[in-house]
Amino acid sequence: MAESIPHGVDAAHDDHGDHHQQSFWQKYIFSTDHKMIAMQYMFTGMAMGLVGAFMAYTFRMQLAFPGDLVPGFGLVTPANYNALVTNHGTIMIFWVAMPVLLAAFANFLIPLMIGCDDMVFPKINRLSYQIFLLSTIVLIASFFVEGGGFGGGWTAYPPLSGKPIYNLTPLGCTLWVIAVGLEFIAFLLGGINFITTTMNARAPGMKLYDIPIVIWMIVIASILFMLSVGPLIAGAIMLVFDQTLGTAFFDPDKGGDPVLWQHLFWFFGHPEVYVVLMPAIGITAEIITVFARKKLFAYKTVLHTAFGTGVLSFTVWAHHQFISGIDPRMANVFTVTTLLISIPIAEMMFVYIATLYGGAITLTTPMLWALAFIAEFLIGGVTGIFLGASGADIYFHDTYFVLAHFHYTFYPIAIIGTFAGFTFWFPKMFGKMMNETLGKIHFWGTIIPFNLIFIPLFVLGAAGQHRRIYDYTGFPELAKYQDVRVFATMALLVMLAFQLVFFYNCLISWRSGKKAGNNPWNSNTLEWTTSSPPGHGNWKELPTVYRGPYEYSTPGREEDFWPQNVPN
């Protein structure tokens, strides 16, 4: 990879040249400051996370106690159940994982970690969030229209999603597609900013290999999103035409092909896993190097592996379609590519373990989350091998084994990765330290029940339990597992209850926590060289970079860290 010296930052944009007093509306509602936009994405994503969690609580209670009134919701009808499951999946992926992991952390970290005052296109950045907020409003509105929210599954397979007579949610279905389309537009605009800012606005002296790995991961994720989402946007427009204009792109009754949608969806859907995985992997790298006081093992290998993983991610989509009727010879090809992509991801996890080896490890709350990410994601990766093999997948397809595997990959990414990053950068975001005791109570109160929820679901899936059934009492061969369903649901209730500890910790730490100072973790990267929280424009004088970001425990130095902006 050719290394280049970045351009100067003076011409990045002129919106922050005038640091005049801002009104409430300018500062908090129509801000172009990357930090405020990061907070807007962060808190919108967290609010939607609460909506998604409430949906999970409601349909898990229905599964554990079928037909009983659910406290806070009431009677769950089959239509309610379908809408809750569909929108839980949709929200947690598109309205939680993406806005928090990609948009919020990218907005907060990129200018601060590469040493510039803001994104290069601040008004596009603001427009990105506004379109995302509009998509959120459209999705929420879809719950309240006639027929209720869309209930055809978060993958929206036609003909179920194409015909109101099948999904019984005529308007909710169309609003769902429009909301997802708007969300994609928002992230396309955001991705343009993330890539352009990183390539063109780095601090003087920061070469390509001096960029912190989390920033590289965000850039790679943005590229993957841009390259993969186009066909699905086209497919979404075709689906809306089928729903509203009577076209038949996916309608088999009129000569359309419903499997075409599956190809378009999963050509985007599988790279999408890596779109949210990459930032979480990057966040983990930043944390383990700080709290192991070790240089990141094989920085360049991790970076090149991430690019290779991104390329491979475009060759595995049809492993979601082994039973859709695709040519068995092609199924063999996709089995091989699916197994291949497990190699670079496993390599990155083991590189992280090598980074930890011999380190002076401190088990702070962020470090616990980072270690949990590695452990839980490895379980998700190993169980995915069963589903990548076409023969085994025929049995496991659409069972709770798939669901458990999926949550062992996405929960570490979306939830554990978020908690890791949020607790690590909380001092920089708000200028206060989080309460460590409450942080660790929240950690253990989340991780233990998480495993108690989903390990039993592997057992249910292996026993053949299909995942799209509203009430298992009608299936005598599955009814005997009711105690397992109740156990998993009770574990979910415990996990949700412990989230109150997190919000309480955030509140009291923000109001009365210990002042953080500029660099409470003794870290090397540039965001820790400015005030906590950073002011408008980030620095009074933009920094200069002299080395890479992971020079910890360097022989001959009195201190065990060496900030990037400190001259030799």
Side-chain angles (χ1 to χ4, degrees):
M1 178 183 297
E3 294 188 343
S4 62
I5 301 295
H7 300 165
V9 297
D10 293 343
H13 64 84
D14 58 8
D15 282 72
H16 298 284
D18 180 14
H19 291 194
H20 58 275
Q21 188 68 31
Q22 294 179 307
S23 69
F24 172 86
W25 290 95
Q26 288 175 314
K27 185 172 183 180
Y28 295 108
I29 307 299
F30 297 106
S31 175
T32 55
D33 188 309
H34 70 100
K35 300 180 291 297
M36 184 53 62
I37 293 172
M39 292 301 110
Q40 291 172 334
Y41 269 116
M42 179 78 73
F43 292 129
T44 306
M46 286 186 173
M48 291 300 284
L50 293 176
V51 175
F54 179 75
M55 290 177 170
Y57 150 78
T58 305
F59 65 71
R60 281 302 320 175
M61 289 292 284
Q62 159 62 24
L63 292 173
F65 310 104
D68 290 356
L69 297 179
V70 176
F73 186 88
L75 182 66
V76 180
T77 65
N80 293 150
Y81 180 83
N82 288 336
L84 289 166
V85 171
T86 297
N87 285 285
H88 166 76
T90 303
I91 286 172
M92 298 310 289
I93 293 171
F94 296 128
W95 274 270
V96 177
M98 288 191 66
V100 175
L101 274 174
L102 190 57
F105 282 115
N107 266 295
F108 188 76
L109 295 178
I110 287 177
L112 286 171
M113 295 186 88
I114 68 170
C116 65
D117 58 350
D118 206 329
M119 293 291 182
V120 294
F121 305 123
K123 291 179 180 175
I124 290 180
N125 207 21
R126 180 178 63 190
L127 179 62
S128 168
Y129 174 74
Q130 290 169 339
I131 293 175
F132 171 71
L133 183 61
L134 177 62
S135 77
T136 307
I137 294 170
V138 171
L139 184 72
I140 296 293
S142 75
F143 304 155
F144 301 100
V145 298
E146 184 179 359
F150 176 49
W154 78 277
T155 53
Y157 281 178
L160 187 59
S161 61
K163 291 189 173 182
I165 194 173
Y166 294 154
N167 58 56
L168 304 178
T169 55
L171 191 51
C173 182
T174 301
L175 288 175
W176 182 93
V177 178
I178 292 172
V180 172
L182 288 170
E183 198 256 12
F184 288 168
I185 293 170
F187 284 98
L188 281 171
L189 293 174
I192 292 169
N193 243 333
F194 305 155
I195 297 168
T196 310
T197 302
T198 304
M199 292 299 109
N200 292 282
R202 301 193 304 278
M206 179 175 276
K207 303 179 181 67
L208 291 179
Y209 287 134
D210 294 334
I211 299 174
I213 206 74
V214 67
I215 303 302
W216 270 121
M217 293 296 178
I218 290 169
V219 168
I220 294 170
S222 301
I223 294 171
L224 289 181
F225 182 78
M226 288 180 174
L227 294 179
S228 63
V229 78
L232 184 57
I233 290 178
I237 294 171
M238 293 155 69
L239 182 58
V240 171
F241 284 175
D242 277 11
Q243 293 170 343
T244 58
L245 302 179
T247 57
F249 293 108
F250 306 115
D251 185 355
D253 291 344
K254 300 177 182 176
D257 184 0
V259 177
L260 171 61
W261 170 265
Q262 294 189 28
H263 284 292
L264 296 174
F265 183 89
W266 287 115
F267 182 78
F268 161 79
H270 207 82
E272 166 69 8
V273 174
Y274 299 93
V275 168
V276 289
L277 170 63
M278 292 298 177
I281 284 180
I283 288 169
T284 302
E286 302 302 329
I287 294 172
I288 63 173
T289 51
V290 169
F291 295 110
R293 314 311 288 172
K294 282 280 297 292
K295 190 170 186 171
L296 179 64
F297 186 82
Y299 169 99
K300 292 182 180 179
T301 301
V302 172
L303 179 56
H304 298 159
T305 299
F307 275 108
T309 303
V311 173
L312 270 177
S313 72
F314 287 99
T315 66
V316 299
W317 81 89
H319 72 220
H320 296 275
Q321 301 171 240
F322 283 150
I323 68 162
S324 68
I326 65 172
D327 189 320
R329 290 166 296 186
M330 288 307 296
N332 291 335
V333 171
F334 282 99
T335 292
V336 171
T337 56
T338 301
L339 297 180
L340 277 177
I341 203 169
S342 66
I343 296 173
I345 295 298
E347 176 208 293
M348 281 194 269
M349 293 298 105
F350 285 109
V351 162
Y352 286 5
I353 294 171
T355 301
L356 295 169
Y357 181 75
I361 294 174
T362 306
L363 293 177
T364 59
T365 301
M367 186 62 161
L368 288 174
W369 287 115
L371 296 177
F373 171 83
I374 297 171
E376 305 290 3
F377 188 78
L378 281 173
I379 296 175
V382 169
T383 52
I385 293 174
F386 294 95
L387 304 174
S390 57
D393 185 70
I394 291 171
Y395 176 76
F396 285 123
H397 186 86
D398 259 349
T399 69
Y400 266 73
F401 190 94
V402 177
L403 186 146
H405 154 72
F406 184 82
H407 282 80
Y408 264 101
T409 54
F410 246 87
Y411 191 93
I413 294 171
I415 306 301
I416 296 177
T418 294
F419 282 138
F422 187 80
T423 54
F424 181 63
W425 280 292
F426 184 93
K428 185 54 58 179
M429 292 175 179
F430 303 104
K432 301 288 183 66
M433 300 300 292
M434 293 192 81
N435 183 294
E436 270 292 292
T437 302
L438 291 175
K440 288 174 179 173
I441 291 172
H442 170 238
F443 170 79
W444 291 111
T446 301
I447 287 297
I448 293 174
F450 162 69
N451 287 281
L452 296 180
I453 297 168
F454 291 104
I455 288 176
L457 300 190
F458 279 122
V459 177
L460 291 177
Q465 179 172 302
H466 196 279
R467 64 174 173 157
R468 302 193 189 280
I469 294 176
Y470 157 73
D471 180 357
Y472 291 94
T473 57
F475 298 83
E477 70 277 13
L478 297 175
K480 60 185 178 183
Y481 297 109
Q482 190 60 23
D483 289 344
V484 180
R485 294 180 201 107
V486 172
F487 180 84
T489 303
M490 292 299 105
L492 173 69
L493 297 181
V494 172
M495 186 177 77
L496 293 178
F498 270 94
Q499 303 320 301
L500 297 175
V501 178
F502 169 73
F503 290 109
Y504 176 70
N505 192 6
C506 290
L507 183 61
I508 65 156
S509 298
W510 175 66
R511 288 177 61 90
S512 56
K514 177 186 171 186
K515 287 189 176 180
N518 289 355
N519 191 3
W521 306 128
N522 289 338
S523 180
N524 287 342
T525 42
L526 292 179
E527 77 273 26
W528 304 105
T529 64
T530 186
S531 58
S532 302
H536 194 60
N538 296 337
W539 287 273
K540 293 180 180 177
E541 183 178 348
L542 295 178
T544 298
V545 169
Y546 297 94
R547 67 187 60 77
Y550 304 114
E551 298 299 326
Y552 292 103
S553 303
T554 303
R557 272 188 63 81
E558 183 177 345
E559 295 178 317
D560 66 351
F561 66 111
W562 200 352
Q564 285 185 281
N565 67 326
V566 174
N568 295 326

